[in-house]
Amino acid sequence: MANGNLNIPEAKTPSDIKWTLVVLILILGALLYGFLGFLGVIVLLVVLAFTTQVYTQDVPEYHALTVLNSFTGIQRTLFHGRTGKLPWEGAGTLVDLRSELKDIPEETWDTKAGAMMQAKYVYILHPMTTEKGIITYAGYTKDTVKAAARNLFSMMLSDHFGLCMDPQELLKKDETNKAVFESTDGKIKIDDFEKAYGVYSFAKLEDVDYDAETQKARDIISKAKSIGEALTELQKTMSKEKAELTIRQLNIPGIQEYVVSVAGIPNVRDVNIIGGLGGKK
């Protein structure tokens, strides 16, 4: 049975734990009866009534608790409520299942075309509400889990940006999110991460645009009446070669790169000419 949206399993004592406790109580009862007779039964009931913390464990609402068997070294998970435990099982880490690890990183990546893009994405993590998931999650600090999440989602996004030839395509956030986080490869990477750290995760690209320097160059180019004018303005802050490269990288509509064949002229190869914006080439 689940509990609300958190889907928390019900508190349940495993059958092997139950039978072990029953056997222990019967042995203790037999010993007391042998020494004290019927009075031993009364003593047993009193002892059981005042030592419930020895053989049961209470877990707060919306929490999970790991316990460790001192003899076998085996861990298991208890969910909220009271359940039976062995006397030699000690309480471990208490995990609040409502806890949320969240971050909104801002990073800058370059595209295959070379344009620099500034992006902001969000990720949210929740402890996995399974016995194995809780044990795994309890084995890490929150900072470690957040760092691993940031490394994963940053890598996934930067790889996608690095393969993109047209920066304008990256401005379509919905399509980028689907390509990065909903693709088969993306789902496999996220699933592996969740299992490795015992969390449920959600990630989404929130905002993306050209970085400040690139946007300034775009504004200069878009306002220019010709490529020549755009190159002149850009060369006020950069070399001619970088200015031409910037125009190519931005892939602005209306700008084309022409290859002019000069075959037959000695010692001269084909040359590239940038043109567009309705002005001169």
Side-chain angles (χ1 to χ4, degrees), residues 23-35:
V23 170
L24 290 174
I25 291 171
L26 289 175
I27 292 174
L28 178 60
L31 290 173
L32 290 173
Y33 185 80
F35 284 107

Side-chain angles (χ1 to χ4, degrees), residues 10-30:
E10 64 181 356
K12 187 177 181 180
T13 304
S15 58
D16 59 327
I17 301 295
K18 287 181 181 178
W19 282 111
T20 301
L21 289 174
V22 169
V23 170
L24 290 174
I25 291 171
L26 289 175
I27 292 174
L28 178 60

Side-chain angles (χ1 to χ4, degrees), residues 52-93:
T52 55
Q53 72 277 7
V54 174
Y55 58 90
T56 65
Q57 180 68 55
D58 187 40
V59 180
E61 185 180 25
Y62 298 116
H63 285 71
L65 177 71
T66 62
V67 293
L68 175 67
N69 189 311
S70 301
F71 292 152
T72 65
I74 295 176
Q75 288 178 291
R76 63 188 185 93
T77 302
L78 309 180
F79 292 97
H80 66 190
R82 183 173 289 275
T83 55
K85 74 176 187 69
L86 300 175
W88 48 87
E89 283 186 313
T93 303

Side-chain angles (χ1 to χ4, degrees), residues 119-131:
K120 179 172 68 175
Y121 65 96
V122 59
Y123 68 81
I124 302 173
L125 311 174
H126 293 279
M128 189 176 288
T129 53
T130 64
E131 289 196 25

Side-chain angles (χ1 to χ4, degrees), residues 53-271:
Q53 72 277 7
V54 174
Y55 58 90
T56 65
Q57 180 68 55
D58 187 40
V59 180
E61 185 180 25
Y62 298 116
H63 285 71
L65 177 71
T66 62
V67 293
L68 175 67
N69 189 311
S70 301
F71 292 152
T72 65
I74 295 176
Q75 288 178 291
R76 63 188 185 93
T77 302
L78 309 180
F79 292 97
H80 66 190
R82 183 173 289 275
T83 55
K85 74 176 187 69
L86 300 175
W88 48 87
E89 283 186 313
T93 303
L94 184 65
V95 177
D96 187 345
L97 300 177
R98 299 163 298 182
S99 63
E100 179 178 278
L101 303 182
K102 180 179 180 181
D103 197 7
I104 308 178
E106 294 188 29
E107 301 190 36
T108 301
W109 301 304
D110 60 344
T111 66
K112 190 172 184 178
M116 299 300 294
M117 307 295 290
Q118 190 168 359
K120 179 172 68 175
Y121 65 96
V122 59
Y123 68 81
I124 302 173
L125 311 174
H126 293 279
M128 189 176 288
T129 53
T130 64
E131 289 196 25
K132 186 176 180 180
I134 292 298
I135 292 173
T136 301
Y137 178 80
Y140 297 98
T141 65
K142 292 181 179 181
D143 287 342
T144 299
V145 178
K146 289 180 67 175
R150 179 164 183 164
N151 289 339
L152 171 66
F153 300 132
S154 178
M155 178 270 294
M156 293 174 68
L157 285 165
S158 64
D159 285 353
H160 180 74
F161 276 52
L163 294 173
C164 182
M165 284 298 298
D166 184 1
Q168 288 292 117
E169 290 298 314
L170 295 172
L171 301 180
K172 302 173 183 178
K173 293 181 292 185
D174 290 342
E175 293 183 12
T176 299
N177 279 316
K178 289 180 181 179
V180 175
F181 301 119
E182 298 180 25
S183 65
T184 300
D185 182 60
K187 288 180 178 179
I188 291 174
K189 290 178 179 177
I190 292 173
D191 185 61
D192 289 343
F193 163 75
E194 291 180 339
K195 290 178 180 177
Y197 289 91
V199 294
Y200 298 123
S201 65
F202 168 81
K204 179 182 180 182
L205 179 65
E206 286 282 301
D207 191 26
V208 60
D209 205 346
Y210 296 94
D211 73 341
E213 183 178 352
T214 305
Q215 187 59 55
K216 182 179 180 180
R218 281 178 56 84
D219 293 340
I220 290 173
I221 296 170
S222 63
K223 292 176 182 178
K225 295 180 180 179
S226 69
I227 288 297
E229 180 180 333
L231 285 171
T232 299
E233 290 297 316
L234 288 174
Q235 286 179 69
K236 293 179 180 179
T237 57
M238 62 184 73
S239 67
K240 179 181 178 182
E241 291 76 14
K242 186 175 181 181
E244 291 179 345
L245 179 61
T246 299
I247 292 176
R248 291 190 185 96
Q249 290 173 340
L250 292 179
N251 200 21
I252 296 176
I255 294 179
Q256 293 179 314
E257 187 173 9
Y258 301 91
V259 179
V260 180
S261 177
V262 289
I265 302 178
N267 301 320
V268 179
R269 296 180 298 175
D270 291 355
V271 297

